[in-house]
Amino acid sequence: MTADPAKKPSVLFVCVHNAGRSQMAAGFLASLARGAIEVRSAGTQPSHEVSPSVVEAMADVGIDISGEVPKELTTDAVQEADVVITMGCGDECPVFPGKRYEDWELADPAGKGIESVRPIRDEIRTRVEALVTELLPARHADAQ
């Protein structure tokens, strides 16, 4: 990605209900990037609350997303993002020319207990860590 180095990269995570996968991804990215990346999440059909098992799974790794509220996906949110990562929303996500899109195929944690959510959480963490390394290469080099 070639971006203005003075501008923070912006990532938007999108899933259907914005109550599980996208919330975990946003939580990890906010924690790992420490303010160096603008982080948003949204859903095409947002739920009323973040899944309690998702909140618990994130708390297990020291990330508190208990105050998060599912948000509706807007055209503006997509237009403002440099990277849009979708997770199971199919054709419901708007697509704009010139945007970078990735589709992360991940199991849906909706209605699952904590033991089923933890492997999904761990897969998301691995993908977010790779994203941070890519978007913030200088920070990664400093950590070596």
Side-chain angles (χ1 to χ4, degrees):
M1 178 172 139
T2 58
D4 176 354
K7 180 186 177 289
K8 278 200 279 192
S10 175
V11 176
L12 172 65
F13 294 103
V14 182
C15 66
V16 177
H17 300 294
N18 191 221
R21 296 166 289 191
S22 57
Q23 291 285 355
M24 288 190 282
F28 277 125
L29 186 56
S31 175
L32 293 168
R34 296 185 189 102
I37 297 173
E38 188 175 319
V39 183
R40 291 189 186 100
S41 70
T44 55
Q45 299 169 26
S47 183
H48 297 292
E49 66 179 3
V50 176
S51 166
S53 58
V54 165
V55 172
E56 183 181 352
M58 293 300 285
D60 284 353
V61 295
I63 298 175
D64 180 7
I65 62 168
S66 62
E68 296 300 322
V69 177
K71 294 165 276 314
E72 186 168 359
L73 178 66
T74 65
T75 301
D76 287 346
V78 176
Q79 287 178 317
E80 292 170 12
D82 296 310
V83 181
V84 178
I85 297 176
T86 58
M87 304 171 188
C89 58
D91 295 335
E92 294 183 44
C93 297
V95 175
F96 294 97
K99 293 284 172 199
R100 173 179 160 191
Y101 291 87
E102 289 184 26
D103 185 47
W104 290 359
E105 290 189 30
L106 297 158
D108 188 349
K112 294 188 170 133
I114 187 72
E115 293 304 322
S116 297
V117 172
R118 285 183 178 126
I120 300 167
R121 174 204 62 202
D122 295 344
E123 174 65 21
I124 290 170
R125 181 199 329 232
T126 299
R127 291 176 187 227
V128 169
E129 287 170 343
L131 184 66
V132 169
T133 299
E134 180 185 339
L135 294 178
L136 302 175
R139 176 177 285 181
H140 181 67
D142 292 343
Q144 298 294 320

